[in-house]
Amino acid sequence: MNNLRFIINNADETARTGILQVNDQRVRTPILVQTGDELARLAPLKLEQIGVKITKVNGLKWWLKYGEELSKVGDLHQLYHWNGLLLVDLQTDYAYQLAKPRGKKNNGVRFHDPETGQLKFWQPETALKVQKILGADVFQSFDRAGDYYDPVDDLAAGVAQTQAWLEINKKVAGMTFANVVGGGLKKLRQESVKAVMADAFAGYEISGIPSTLSNQEFNRIINEMVSMLPNEQLRYLPTATTLTQMLFAVLAGVDLIDSDLAAKKAAKGVALVGKGLESLHLDRQHFRFDKRPLEQGCGCPVCQTGYSRALIHNLIIDGRFYGEQLLLQHNLFTLNRLINNLQQAIAAQQIKSFVQELLYNH
Ligand SMILES: [Zn+2]
């Protein structure tokens, strides 16, 4: 049986650091959950080397691809030789986007797979099974996803449905992040939180907060949400945040935060450098003969090896995946270093000034 423990060890205003222990793995929080398909892009040893501890894979995609044969694929830790923690995303938002109104059932969501045109029925029981097969270390509960600004009735229906589906994860409640939904509406969010509190889940998953919100609205909802949650339990934000949103989330006291920033930037030929994590666009002409590393003094394997901006520029211009891989390594290292610095700032009771300086630089 799986085992999950979470202990908070430092707090500075609303921000906090903690230790999350899942089975024999211990990670320090706040931490980034890498959602940029990293396992398919870099060798696991490299990921560990640059400080990646948790990755998330697209469970719906695996299920659509393999269907009944998914059990033959089995645990992704073994398939990828990945020793870190693994989350399996349910991608309910994607399924609901594809569903017609009559496809939104009280036992799942029916939609046409755009790849094959086939009609698929994504259901909470199936989603839990898929997570178990693929070896998820912590489970996610199924939610009825909607738009943040949906009409109140739709959001309320989403809250009721998501609450009802929590039942399916009850047997594994101690290993499940329970979904809290309700768009931007305080009353609905409160109701959603209440439903979870009645049970002993591993933590709260703050769902339905898109990264497309304005920084102001994002900051408002995330602080409002966190203020409703019991202090001692884990908080997980499954939004692939921007850098500013990630800082807001850490300040508010979120423990786990999704991030595809490193991969997204690398795919665009961008290296994140400097204290404020500025973007260096390596595809630009002036890097053609630039012999410097991506960042002077950077401890990542790419900069340490001495790969130059000129080389990476060259690889990117020629469309070589290796160039993107080098950027991904540097970016992941840089983001993990930032997270370490944030943890230290919280421990030193200086998180607010630390973040303010970062936001100002950015
Ligand atoms: Zn570097």
Side-chain angles (χ1 to χ4, degrees):
M1 187 63 195
N2 291 340
N3 185 343
L4 182 147
R5 283 180 65 201
F6 177 60
I7 300 156
I8 297 164
N9 48 22
N10 287 293
D12 181 8
E13 304 208 12
T14 50
R16 78 252 194 109
T17 65
I19 305 279
L20 169 63
Q21 181 158 359
V22 183
N23 301 322
D24 55 349
Q25 306 243 18
R26 282 162 71 94
V27 297
R28 281 178 59 106
T29 61
I31 193 165
L32 298 180
V33 178
Q34 300 299 340
T35 66
D37 216 4
E38 279 76 8
L39 285 176
R41 289 165 192 271
L42 284 179
L45 268 177
K46 287 236 163 82
L47 290 175
E48 284 169 31
Q49 203 182 1
I50 50 188
V52 174
K53 311 264 191 205
I54 311 185
T55 56
K56 187 156 96 171
V57 296
N58 185 332
L60 177 58
K61 204 167 151 189
W62 278 96
W63 178 68
L64 289 174
K65 198 167 167 186
Y66 287 94
E68 288 303 312
E69 291 192 302
L70 193 62
S71 52
K72 292 186 192 163
V73 174
D75 190 331
L76 294 184
H77 290 93
Q78 270 138 42
L79 190 72
Y80 284 112
H81 291 266
W82 169 244
N83 293 320
L85 293 176
L86 183 82
L87 298 183
V88 174
D89 196 47
L90 309 183
Q91 294 279 313
T92 47
D93 48 351
Y94 176 74
Y96 273 96
Q97 268 166 27
L98 293 172
K100 301 224 163 63
R102 64 176 181 277
K104 299 172 185 179
K105 312 268 187 204
N106 61 10
N107 56 350
V109 52
R110 206 185 281 280
F111 64 96
H112 283 278
D113 179 4
E115 296 272 322
T116 62
Q118 283 175 346
L119 193 59
K120 295 287 176 181
F121 197 17
W122 190 221
Q123 295 182 275
E125 292 86 353
T126 319
L128 183 56
K129 209 169 109 191
V130 166
Q131 293 180 87
K132 284 179 176 170
I133 290 171
L134 295 178
D137 289 295
V138 188
F139 301 120
Q140 295 181 264
S141 62
F142 207 84
D143 68 315
R144 173 165 167 165
D147 190 83
Y148 186 79
Y149 291 111
D150 269 348
V152 184
D153 289 352
D154 290 353
L155 289 171
V159 169
Q161 186 67 79
T162 302
Q163 283 172 8
W165 282 337
L166 269 182
E167 196 62 31
I168 286 150
N169 280 54
K170 218 158 188 180
K171 272 195 181 150
V172 287
M175 297 305 292
T176 295
F177 292 132
N179 259 305
V180 172
V181 294
L185 299 178
K186 190 172 183 177
K187 232 184 117 201
L188 290 178
R189 289 274 176 185
Q190 272 168 337
E191 218 173 281
S192 198
V193 168
K194 247 192 271 166
V196 179
M197 275 211 234
D199 299 289
F201 285 92
Y204 292 84
E205 179 164 340
I206 307 166
S207 294
I209 299 186
S211 63
T212 47
L213 291 183
S214 70
N215 283 338
Q216 197 187 3
E217 176 60 11
F218 180 88
N219 202 22
R220 185 197 70 78
I221 186 71
I222 207 74
N223 278 286
E224 187 175 272
M225 263 316 320
V226 167
S227 72
M228 294 175 194
L229 301 176
N231 192 49
E232 62 281 2
Q233 267 185 298
L234 204 57
R235 300 151 180 176
Y236 170 37
L237 179 66
T239 305
T241 53
T242 64
L243 182 64
T244 302
Q245 290 168 349
M246 188 256 275
L247 294 171
F248 284 156
V250 168
L251 261 187
V254 179
D255 307 302
L256 278 81
I257 304 163
D258 272 3
S259 179
D260 64 355
L261 208 55
K264 216 161 61 187
K265 293 281 182 183
K268 286 184 186 154
V270 168
L272 298 168
V273 296
K275 220 177 157 200
L277 268 66
E278 293 89 359
S279 292
L280 209 61
H281 294 265
L282 270 301
D283 55 345
R284 292 187 182 157
Q285 279 291 315
H286 63 267
F287 289 114
R288 282 175 78 195
F289 306 114
D290 192 334
K291 296 284 160 52
R292 290 175 294 174
L294 290 172
E295 185 173 4
Q296 208 69 48
C298 172
C300 89
V302 178
C303 297
Q304 286 289 308
T305 306
Y307 287 119
S308 65
R309 295 172 176 185
L311 171 74
I312 294 169
H313 167 82
N314 219 289
L315 292 168
I316 287 169
I317 292 299
D318 288 349
R320 307 272 180 204
F321 181 56
Y322 189 46
E324 190 180 324
Q325 272 187 324
L326 293 174
L327 286 174
L328 177 59
Q329 285 182 66
H330 168 86
N331 288 347
L332 284 169
F333 181 90
T334 303
L335 277 168
N336 285 324
R337 188 184 55 199
L338 172 68
I339 282 287
N340 281 330
N341 291 341
L342 288 165
Q343 290 169 354
Q344 279 168 25
I346 294 167
Q349 309 283 312
Q350 287 168 349
I351 189 62
K352 216 160 194 179
S353 55
F354 186 88
V355 167
Q356 265 161 6
E357 201 183 321
L358 272 174
L359 289 173
Y360 182 76
N361 276 331
H362 199 250

